[in-house]
Amino acid sequence: MTTPLRLGIAGLGTVGTGVVKIVRQKAKLIEARAGRPVTISAVSARTRDKDRGVNLSDYAWEDDPVALASRDDVDLFVELMGGSDGPAKAATEAALSAGKDVVTANKAMLAHHGQALAEMAEANGAVLRFEAAVAGGIPVVKSLTEGLAGNEITRVMGVMNGTCNYILTRMQSGGLPYDEVFEEADKLGFLEADPTLDVGGIDAGHKLALLSAIAFGAQVNFDAVELEGIERVTITDIRHADDLGYRIKLLGVAQMTGRGLEQRMSPCLVPKRSPLGQLEGGTNMVVLEGDQVQQIVLRGPGAGEGPTASAVMGDVIDIARGFRCTTFGVPAAMLTEATPAKTATPAPYYLRMALDDKPGALAKVATALGNAGISIDRMRQTKHKDNTAPVLIVTHRTTRSALDEALDAMSRLDVIAHQPVALRIESV
Amino acid sequence: MTTPLRLGIAGLGTVGTGVVKIVRQKAKLIEARAGRPVTISAVSARTRDKDRGVNLSDYAWEDDPVALASRDDVDLFVELMGGSDGPAKAATEAALSAGKDVVTANKAMLAHHGQALAEMAEANGAVLRFEAAVAGGIPVVKSLTEGLAGNEITRVMGVMNGTCNYILTRMQSGGLPYDEVFEEADKLGFLEADPTLDVGGIDAGHKLALLSAIAFGAQVNFDAVELEGIERVTITDIRHADDLGYRIKLLGVAQMTGRGLEQRMSPCLVPKRSPLGQLEGGTNMVVLEGDQVQQIVLRGPGAGEGPTASAVMGDVIDIARGFRCTTFGVPAAMLTEATPAKTATPAPYYLRMALDDKPGALAKVATALGNAGISIDRMRQTKHKDNTAPVLIVTHRTTRSALDEALDAMSRLDVIAHQPVALRIESV
């Protein structure tokens, strides 16, 4: 099989340019590995006249990505435009409906339209792959879909937004408040145009929804991801968590339970000596747990030109080699409409509150917890300056509903100086 | 494609039994993922009458693995017998020469005969895969061959023998001498029948040779791996390394240099805050570095029934899906006979020695280092009881030959109470 695989690349930002560079500079290596040449027929982007530091003169130019995806000399459409709808989706659909394979880095598009696109791919005998959409350069889609295919996956976890992990790590190491680090991250260009995508957990939530689908053979259901961003994480809680032996991470967790499919993306405490707790800066980490393999931890750069282009090229070379598989690991028609779990798996929680410095205050709080059936693992009253006493509690494992009941009871106590902060402690 | 893929499994130890269980218990899941059923036609093992906790009555029995591999109702031969030669090799060759695919967990066989077997597989249109041979359940062969196929790999490192890492971790945490922990590991059944395979670094060296071949497109050359086991690692050095901020690991490193292909498996110091430094117990870790992806770290169980069977099944399901690729990532005929590097890449070294407690002793040592062109990063003279003073030196980056020159000069000094211990500090 020495017929070249001819790419059409739409989107020439950092990643698209990176892919062009690799195809140009590593042609011989890629041909040896793929068993056939990989070439570029045509490219497309919003602006044509822009120096991207790479020679594009060998390739046809299309202003319209749909036209690009439809060209006769394009076998594989590489979608690197982004955006859940609009041109990215239109061009992907044009390619798939023509039976052309598609490689994309577009987590938003797949999180919203993954099921429809997977069905369209399979109906037309096309392959749709998206390694670059999840955790950048880490081959996690491949590991889950292929490497662990002999497992029933029991849980998937991940720190999959480098910006959030950078912010939380920097707050921790520099002792800085959220707002200050947020501004710093903004100046460094780490934030998306709409920063809510990052700090609101949406980007990471998209990724979790994709991994969930593969892990549990379920239709992608981003709307069912319980989302909470890092905006309300304070340096106070980061410090207290540290004292108690934990780090706060924006952690995604997906698991199939008797109550349905649980998908959560939220700030959690994890032991600081665990691999997730030790993860610093913009790096990503994904933890895959299966009934056979126990636990696999994958760590690497979650963004950037090289790492993301590396993931795109992994998919391209697989397709060039003739690897053909379903989008989410089983035929799209077999993906179930998993019921979303209404409540999270029980866990210990970290609680921080301030009590008026009066006799019996702590007893009232303990009673509120006890009445909700929650027992206390550790309690610390820290130093206080004014008339209020900061109190930290680590509970034993409890349901979120019992916790909410206790929090509600506490909020009505006359000794509570400020509403308790509650953060889940994930066992990792 | 709904024709079943019919397995013949040779070797029914822990891993073989694990594979049989998965095929039996997860038939529906595997069929959904693979797109076709995976069944077992026949099995083979040394003893037939043994309760393996799994029902084998549905399968034909062959005493001779070569006969098993040659059966008409076997499409894929699963080799789980072990041993670099003998029946494992004979049966693998029988399968490949008949154009049948082979999945094996046999690192020794591939480390010694990988090139010939890869050539035989390709000549007969067969696929030969070996995920389970390297780092147990971690999909590292897949990540390197496929996920990172768009990269020029710059370095591969790994802690790939769980027994050695268990011993070193236990020495560290328990403050115990090597011999005591070795005996403990033996009692726990952690050691191979010939423990040199583990503690001599041979098993891990086999794995490194396989990863090297993929990473650098070179013929497997186990004989070129510079091997040093952990037998001479002392609790004294583990403690001193700890004080200096390091852990001692049996670390494999492969990199292509201007001086040729460097492959080393030896006890090294790594920063204790690095992922490799934080790896405890029997867990494995592989670090893959590429020009695009920067650094990927994979961590997971390196042995055991479930994890190893998981890796075998990943390969089996890939083959059932119709994924067909070359054994080491490029055609066997293109694998180069890489010249082994005669000397290791320069690195800092940790030196420990004992000097007679005389004026000028330290100056003589410093002079010996200086004469060899080695500068000192840190030096510590620790407390001493008798007439000798224990001295620790961390050098700046130096070549091994300069270090050997300095060690030779030191050995001739009249102030040296015991020969210096020298351990490489790997930058990770």
Side-chain angles (χ1 to χ4, degrees), chain A residues 319-400:
Chain A
I319 289 174
R321 278 173 167 151
F323 291 9
R324 306 198 68 74
C325 63
T326 51
T327 310
F328 295 105
V330 300
M334 292 182 66
L335 293 162
T336 60
E337 285 188 60
T339 313
K342 285 206 186 78
T343 54
T345 299
Y349 282 82
Y350 156 97
L351 305 177
R352 175 174 60 87
M353 62 201 75
L355 302 182
D356 291 331
D357 201 357
K358 295 183 204 163
L362 212 51
K364 289 184 183 177
V365 167
T367 304
L369 287 166
N371 286 345
I374 300 170
S375 57
I376 294 171
D377 178 29
R378 284 188 279 169
M379 182 186 283
R380 278 193 200 174
Q381 184 168 319
T382 58
K383 277 188 270 182
H384 47 99
K385 296 171 200 164
D386 52 18
N387 266 352
T388 67
V391 171
L392 300 180
I393 295 173
V394 173
T395 73
H396 279 294
R397 193 172 291 270
T398 173
T399 61
R400 179 77 214 196

Side-chain angles (χ1 to χ4, degrees), chain A residues 90-374:
Chain A
T92 298
E93 287 171 344
L96 294 178
S97 61
K100 292 180 186 188
D101 299 335
V102 174
V103 170
T104 178
N106 193 330
K107 60 218 86 162
M109 178 175 77
L110 289 170
H112 289 286
H113 309 292
Q115 180 65 21
L117 293 173
E119 286 171 10
M120 185 181 273
E122 289 170 33
N124 292 282
V127 167
L128 168 60
R129 302 198 57 167
F130 58 90
E131 184 64 82
V134 184
I138 305 176
V140 58
V141 172
K142 175 171 282 289
S143 294
L144 195 53
T145 319
E146 303 168 17
L148 304 191
N151 288 260
E152 276 177 64
I153 301 299
T154 48
R155 187 168 63 156
V156 173
M157 294 189 289
V159 168
M160 296 184 284
N161 183 282
T163 304
C164 289
N165 203 50
Y166 169 82
I167 291 175
L168 294 173
T169 308
R170 182 92 180 94
M171 286 172 73
Q172 154 84 34
S173 63
L176 299 169
Y178 176 81
D179 291 341
E180 198 170 314
V181 178
F182 179 89
E183 273 174 41
E184 193 179 284
D186 197 18
K187 276 185 199 143
L188 290 166
F190 286 4
L191 290 163
E192 301 264 358
D194 173 5
T196 313
L197 288 174
D198 285 318
V199 297
I202 298 170
D203 168 82
H206 287 153
K207 296 168 185 169
L208 184 70
L210 297 178
L211 291 184
S212 273
I214 303 170
F216 305 107
Q219 297 184 11
V220 187
N221 188 355
F222 170 65
D223 293 337
V225 178
E226 197 188 310
L227 272 187
E228 189 189 331
I230 62 165
E231 302 98 326
R232 289 186 298 172
V233 175
T234 66
I235 178 64
T236 308
D237 290 312
I238 287 181
R239 277 186 189 137
H240 287 312
D242 186 29
D243 288 344
L244 294 164
Y246 298 101
R247 292 275 178 267
I248 301 182
K249 298 287 170 191
L250 178 66
L251 185 68
V253 180
Q255 59 194 127
M256 188 62 85
T257 72
R259 296 160 289 103
L261 178 58
E262 190 175 335
Q263 299 183 81
R264 289 179 279 111
M265 179 60 65
S266 60
C268 292
L269 273 65
V270 295
K272 62 181 169 185
R273 286 178 58 94
S274 66
L276 281 165
Q278 288 162 343
L279 188 72
E280 297 187 347
T283 311
N284 280 201
M285 182 175 281
V286 184
V287 179
L288 307 175
E289 294 177 349
D291 62 345
Q292 301 298 318
V293 80
Q294 300 163 16
Q295 188 186 68
I296 297 285
V297 181
L298 312 172
R299 173 196 159 112
E305 175 180 321
T308 314
S310 166
V312 170
M313 288 308 299
D315 282 346
V316 167
I317 293 171
D318 273 359
I319 289 174
R321 278 173 167 151
F323 291 9
R324 306 198 68 74
C325 63
T326 51
T327 310
F328 295 105
V330 300
M334 292 182 66
L335 293 162
T336 60
E337 285 188 60
T339 313
K342 285 206 186 78
T343 54
T345 299
Y349 282 82
Y350 156 97
L351 305 177
R352 175 174 60 87
M353 62 201 75
L355 302 182
D356 291 331
D357 201 357
K358 295 183 204 163
L362 212 51
K364 289 184 183 177
V365 167
T367 304
L369 287 166
N371 286 345
I374 300 170

